[in-house]
């Protein structure tokens, strides 16, 4: 399926400096927000209490959420756990809870009893998640990101060339940093669900970049006498229909999830919605032009574009 005519030839490389300016502004805004506000750690990282209850006749989640709001316990996350009858309620760390998680659980169960109808509310589990656990999760999450980027660097360098690796990694860092900056700016809670969204964003972004890079490599083999900038433009134009169809369908799904998916996945869908837009943008306007920059840098260092093209072939 071809949405863009093959006769259309858009000069994406010509717009690279304007794109770099846009990226620079997004990075600066993200950095300022992170310095002034930091991230808003959720219960998973800041600590809190997890309460699991079981209903015989389960009420609607919005009724449970309204009841928790009336208790004034701060940030509360409510999720079904395997079945509608099993509910997980995660409450942020209370200022005076110390070792009083059991009292908090009793308070929650008592407040939920009016919603149980003819049945009962059974307390199944109470766990206190301390901030130390949260710091360990943050450390492990950061290490996972570093390991994945190193693996991507090695793979792209082996599959393509080292300059493509630089482009892919810088685009990934760009996407991740800007996404985290948006979370900070909007004061969205940074939870394990958000970590999953960012890892999904990383996977989508690198996949989109690899598709464009693969076409660039093919065109470099076919057009050895043409300038690399022109080759990159041709490759991006050839993948434009695929990019619009893929990103467009994913965006449609995410928009539906954002508006109709409910509060539980609202932040997840928002993070992915922004991430898919930025990831698609960076594949065209960040990752590809960076290859050209390293090409020119290589030429200044004594190598020639001809040699680079020969290496690809």
């Amino acid at each position: 399926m071809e949405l863009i005519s093959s006769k259309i030839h858009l000069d994406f490389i010509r717009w690279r400096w304007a794109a770099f300016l846009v990226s620079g502004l997004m990075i600066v805004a993200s950095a300022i927000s992170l310095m002034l506000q930091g991230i808003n750690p959720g219960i998973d990282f800041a600590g809190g209490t997890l309460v699991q209850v079981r209903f015989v006749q389960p009420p609607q989640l919005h009724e449970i959420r309204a009841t928790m709001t009336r208790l004034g316990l701060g940030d509360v996350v409510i999720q079904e756990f395997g079945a509608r009858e099993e509910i997980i309620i995660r409450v942020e760390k209370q200022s005076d809870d110390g070792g009083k998680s059991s009292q908090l659980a009793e308070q929650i169960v008592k407040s939920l009893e009016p919603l149980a109808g003819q049945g009962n509310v059974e307390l199944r589990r109470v766990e206190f998640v301390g901030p130390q656990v949260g710091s360990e999760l943050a450390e492990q999450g950061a290490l996972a990101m570093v390991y994945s980027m190193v693996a991507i660097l090695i793979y792209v360098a082996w599959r393509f060339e080292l300059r493509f690796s630089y482009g892919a990694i810088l685009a990934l860092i760009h996407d991740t940093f800007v996404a985290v900056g948006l979370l900070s700016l909007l004061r969205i809670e940074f939870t394990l669900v958000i970590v999953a969204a960012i890892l999904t964003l990383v996977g989508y972004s690198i996949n989109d970049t690899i598709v464009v890079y693969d076409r660039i490599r093919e065109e470099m083999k076919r057009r050895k006498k043409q300038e690399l900038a022109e080759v990159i433009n041709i490759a991006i134009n050839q993948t434009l229909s695929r990019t619009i169809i893929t990103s467009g369908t994913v965006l449609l799904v995410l928009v539906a999830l954002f508006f109709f998916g409910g509060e539980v996945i609202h932040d997840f869908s928002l993070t992915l919605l922004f991430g898919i837009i930025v990831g698609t943008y960076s594949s065209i306007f960040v990752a590809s032009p960076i290859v050209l920059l390293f090409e020119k840098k290589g030429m200044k260092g004594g190598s020639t574009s001809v040699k680079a093209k020969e290496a690809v072939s």
Side-chain angles (χ1 to χ4, degrees):
M1 185 176 180
E2 187 176 273
L3 293 180
I4 305 296
S5 171
S6 58
K7 296 180 180 178
I8 293 179
H9 183 77
L10 302 176
D11 191 354
F12 293 99
I13 293 300
R14 183 182 177 185
W15 301 334
R16 66 186 184 278
W17 296 114
F20 287 163
L21 177 62
V22 172
S23 294
L25 291 175
M26 288 194 293
I27 290 172
V28 169
S30 300
I32 291 174
S33 179
L34 287 169
M35 284 190 294
L36 297 180
Q37 300 190 117
I39 61 173
N40 182 20
I43 298 169
D44 298 320
F45 297 100
T49 301
L50 183 150
V51 179
Q52 181 178 346
V53 296
R54 187 178 190 283
F55 291 90
V56 176
Q57 295 179 344
Q60 297 295 319
L61 289 181
H62 67 85
E63 295 177 327
I64 300 176
R65 192 168 290 114
T67 301
M68 292 298 101
T69 301
R70 286 194 290 271
L71 288 179
L73 299 174
D75 291 330
V76 178
V77 178
I78 300 170
Q79 294 173 306
E80 292 178 353
F81 187 67
R84 286 196 65 231
E85 292 78 12
E86 299 281 346
I87 303 294
I88 291 285
I89 302 171
R90 290 183 292 173
V91 182
E92 73 171 18
K93 187 176 184 297
Q94 305 296 299
S95 58
D96 59 346
D97 60 3
K100 301 178 181 177
S101 295
S102 58
Q103 295 179 10
L104 177 63
E106 291 175 4
Q107 182 186 4
I108 290 174
V109 171
K110 188 175 181 180
S111 67
L112 293 176
E113 286 176 349
L115 302 179
Q118 300 299 321
N120 298 318
V121 182
E122 179 185 355
L123 179 61
R124 304 292 296 268
R125 176 166 55 126
V126 181
E127 292 180 4
F128 177 76
V129 182
Q132 180 61 33
V133 175
S135 65
E136 290 176 3
L137 286 173
E139 182 180 348
Q140 291 171 1
L143 285 175
M145 293 286 290
V146 171
Y147 293 152
S148 63
M149 287 192 176
V150 171
I152 290 169
L153 182 70
I154 294 172
Y155 168 75
V156 177
W158 168 72
R159 189 76 173 79
F160 298 90
E161 293 178 40
L162 190 57
R163 54 182 168 164
F164 285 85
S165 294
Y166 296 146
I169 293 299
L170 289 174
L172 273 185
I173 293 173
H174 167 276
D175 297 348
T176 308
F177 189 76
V178 171
V180 173
L182 177 73
L183 296 173
S184 170
L185 195 64
L186 300 180
R187 302 302 294 158
I188 293 176
E189 277 195 354
F190 203 88
T191 63
L192 290 179
V193 174
I194 296 298
V195 172
I198 291 177
L199 290 176
T200 305
L201 157 65
V202 168
Y204 183 90
S205 178
I206 191 63
N207 179 67
D208 207 51
T209 302
I210 291 296
V211 169
V212 176
Y213 276 1
D214 199 45
R215 185 57 60 91
I216 292 174
R217 185 183 58 170
E218 290 177 2
E219 293 303 319
M220 286 173 70
K221 291 178 181 177
R222 293 175 53 194
R223 306 171 191 271
K224 295 181 181 178
K225 294 183 180 179
Q226 284 186 255
E227 293 293 329
L228 181 58
E230 182 60 20
V231 172
I232 291 175
N233 265 330
I234 292 171
I236 294 175
N237 276 280
Q238 289 177 350
T239 58
L240 206 53
S241 290
R242 174 263 171 200
T243 301
I244 292 174
I245 293 171
T246 304
S247 300
T249 50
V250 174
L251 284 175
L252 284 176
V253 173
L254 290 172
V255 167
L257 288 175
F258 178 77
F259 286 107
F260 307 112
E263 188 173 338
V264 174
I265 60 171
H266 185 271
D267 292 345
F268 177 83
S269 55
L270 176 64
T271 305
L272 275 183
L273 193 61
F274 179 75
I276 296 302
I277 295 172
V278 173
T280 304
Y281 156 83
S282 70
S283 298
I284 297 174
F285 292 106
V286 177
S288 300
I290 285 176
V291 176
L292 183 62
L293 291 181
F294 278 99
E295 165 81 1
K296 292 182 177 179
K297 186 178 180 181
M299 291 177 66
K300 289 180 181 177
S303 65
T304 65
S305 60
V306 175
K307 289 181 180 179
K309 292 172 183 174
E310 288 175 348
V312 173
S313 63

